[in-house]
Structure formats: C-alpha cells, structure tokens
Amino acid sequence: MRRGLTIFLLINLLIIIFLIRSVFTLLTLLIEDGSADAIHPAEIPAPNSPLIDDRKQLIPKIIHQTYANDTVPERWREAQKSCIDMHEDYEYKLWTDASSRELIATEYPWFLGTFDNYSQPIQRADAIRYFVLNRFGGIYIDLDAGCNRRLDPLLSYPAWVRRTDPTGISNDAMGSIANHPFFTLVIESLIPYDRNWKLPYITVMYSTGPLFLSVIWQEYKRGRGSEVTSFLGTPGSSGRWDGTEDHRVRVLMGDEYNKQPWAFFRWYGGSSWHGSDAQLIFWMGKHWMLLTASGFLVAGVVGLCIWWIYGRVLLLGQRRRKGGKCADSNSNSWGASGTAWAQRIPLWRRGSSNGYELIERHEV
Ligand SMILES: *[C@@H]1O[C@H](CO)[C@@H](O)[C@H](O)[C@H]1NC(C)=O
C-alpha cells in the first residue's frame, strides 16, 4: 500500500513537471511586465523638441504597412494618411499579398512553402511584417493605428516592440534595424511554431501572432536562441542576444503607445480579423487569474478521483487475495493461485512466501 502511494505520487509529480516544463515560457509571460526594457517617458523628447535631432537614428526611415491589395478600405484611410502625412521624409511601403509573396519567394525561399500553406490570410500578414523588418528595417504599423506625432525618437533604438494587455507584447507596431538578432530569431521560429491548435484564434495567436511573438521575446531574453535556430543548421547564430545594448529589445509602454497626449500612436478602431472564438479568448484573457485557480481546482479533483479509483482497485485486489486464501486452505494449493495473482499485478508480488504470510497474519 505504501509503495503504491509513493509510485502514484511520483507519477503525478512527473506529469506535473512535464506540464510545467512544456508551458514554462507561457507561465513566465504571466509575470513579465516588460519594465526592465521599457522606454522610459523621460527618454523621449517632447514633440517638436530640438533634442530629437541630437539623438542618433539607427532605424531607417521606412514605414511598413500591409493589406491584401493597393486599395485600402475607406475606414483605414484616415489612419494611414495620418502616418504618411506626418512623415514625408520617410519611405512608405504598403505590402500587398502579391508583393509579400514576391519578397518571400525571392529572398526567403526556405519559407515559401510554410507561407503559402498558412490556413488563415492573417498568418501571412503577421509573418510578412517580421520579414520586412528583418530585411529592410523600419517601423511596422497596423493599418488601424494612426500616428499621433512623428516617430523619430523611436528610431534611436536598435529594436522595439510594444507592451500589451493582459500580458506580453503585440505585433501591431514594432521597429527594428535590418538583421536585428531578435527578428532573425522570430523569422527562424516561424516554422517550428507552425502548428494547428484547432481553434483558429489560438492557431493564429500562437503560430504567427502576438502570443508567438511574446513567447519568442521571452526565449530571446533568456538567451536561448540557439535551440530554435538550430533547424536551419546555424545553431547559436544571429538569433541570440549577446547581452549588449545593440541586441536589446526595448518596450514601448501603454502610455507612450497611445494612452497619453504625447503618445506616438492613435487608435482608429477595428480589429480586422477576429473570429467568433475571439470573444471567448478575450474573456479568458481578462479572467486568467480565475481560470488559473479553476485549473488547479479541476486538476486537484481529477487527482483525487484517480486516487479514489486506484484505492478501489487495490481493495478489490485485497479481497480477491483473501478469497484466494480461503479457497487455498480448502484445496491446499494456495501457492499456485497466489503466484497467478502476483503475476497479474506485479506491484504487489511478494519476494518470498514469508512476506506473504506476514501480511495475512496482520490482516486476520
Ligand atoms: C482588395 O482586397 C479586398 C479584401 O480582400 C477585396 O474586397 C477587394 O475587392 C480587393 N480590391 C481589388 C481592387 O482587388
């Protein structure tokens, strides 16, 4: 009985360790607030401040956006125009389905198969933004985000992403120099993360979307780039943070993103792709604390049930063993049936007939 309990607890422990290991990065996201790499408001000169021109500018002056074709829908034109008008000295690139595929086919042919096979168009729209940042550098902005002020101060960081609620980072506005190791790791992680999770929302989020980017961001900061990059035969290559400022990924916090008058962006509304399962996920995002607690509760109840069933099986075994003993004392052949029983459940096999008898004496 005691040995059974030990093995039972060990197996449970192993299962729990395995589960925690497999979702470890997701768990670390829950406590990650990005503050260690946050772009502090004091670093950012006020709009039109002469200080802006004194800062070194690393990121090239390119604004990237994506849409299916060149005809941007009416509802996003205002947002799009706000960014273009404010940045006349910036190059503007609108990546369409056709030009996106063209870039992948010519510059990243190893990715074309995955790119073409994505089941959701938004996955291609997600993926292409990482590739253009990796290839050209610049600032990517979602079409529904408009500019609230010039983005020049954000050119001073080798790479930046933006913090999002409830956790992690988003991929709707990001900036980077070309060939930054973070975005190199991101594009090299797309194939390993290309999995179907049944719910389209989860699949998009975790294969190419913000959750994917957040997880890679965590891995990058932990300096574990080599594990994911190795599939290209270049272990520990560019997708690794060497700890220097050049490799650091800074984080634009909510206030500086769009919450304050001096923020860089303005929200023009409308997520373009959220399906019917999105409402549920948003709800889950808001109530993750409750859900985590319920998860542990359910796990506990399931554990108890398994333990109870396990106990019943043991009891049954003991009854059968007793029954066997009665029959044996009558027929005088208990050794044979005892051996048969022992073979059926090896855990309870006694090393010697002495051990077996000892238990019987206790039980009677
Ligand atoms: C551009 O793409 C949108 C969305 O897929 C579509 O509704 C529209 O007809 C396309 N416009 C042109 C000119 O092809």
Side-chain angles (χ1 to χ4, degrees), residues 67-69 71:
Y67 188 63
N69 48 48
T71 319

Side-chain angles (χ1 to χ4, degrees), residues 52-120:
I52 292 176
D53 294 331
D54 295 342
R55 290 159 61 102
K56 60 179 175 186
Q57 296 185 335
L58 304 170
I59 297 179
K61 290 183 167 177
I62 311 173
I63 290 175
H64 303 274
Q65 300 202 287
T66 60
Y67 188 63
N69 48 48
D70 287 320
T71 319
V72 171
E74 192 60 44
R75 63 183 182 282
W76 290 325
R77 295 247 178 92
E78 198 190 339
Q80 181 196 26
K81 192 170 175 311
S82 70
C83 287
I84 295 176
D85 289 354
M86 241 177 248
H87 301 91
E88 279 172 344
D89 52 332
Y90 281 47
E91 189 181 348
Y92 179 81
K93 285 177 189 263
L94 180 69
W95 293 92
T96 63
D97 285 356
S99 63
S100 300
R101 189 176 188 281
E102 176 71 23
L103 178 77
I104 299 294
T106 53
E107 309 247 354
Y108 304 94
W110 53 267
F111 188 68
L112 189 62
T114 311
F115 189 74
D116 284 341
N117 278 331
Y118 280 135
S119 57
Q120 314 283 331

Side-chain angles (χ1 to χ4, degrees), residues 254-266:
D255 278 354
E256 287 69 51
Y257 173 67
N258 69 354
K259 292 214 171 82
Q260 299 290 344
W262 69 82
F264 288 97
F265 299 97
R266 252 174 67 196

Side-chain angles (χ1 to χ4, degrees), residues 100-101 103-118 123-131 186-194 207-208 212 231-232:
S100 300
R101 189 176 188 281
L103 178 77
I104 299 294
T106 53
E107 309 247 354
Y108 304 94
W110 53 267
F111 188 68
L112 189 62
T114 311
F115 189 74
D116 284 341
N117 278 331
Y118 280 135
Q123 291 176 293
R124 277 183 282 279
D126 275 335
I128 194 63
R129 59 190 77 174
Y130 309 134
F131 282 97
V186 169
I187 63 174
E188 290 180 356
S189 304
L190 282 166
I191 291 179
Y193 276 78
D194 177 25
S207 65
T208 57
F212 160 77
F231 89 103
L232 278 182

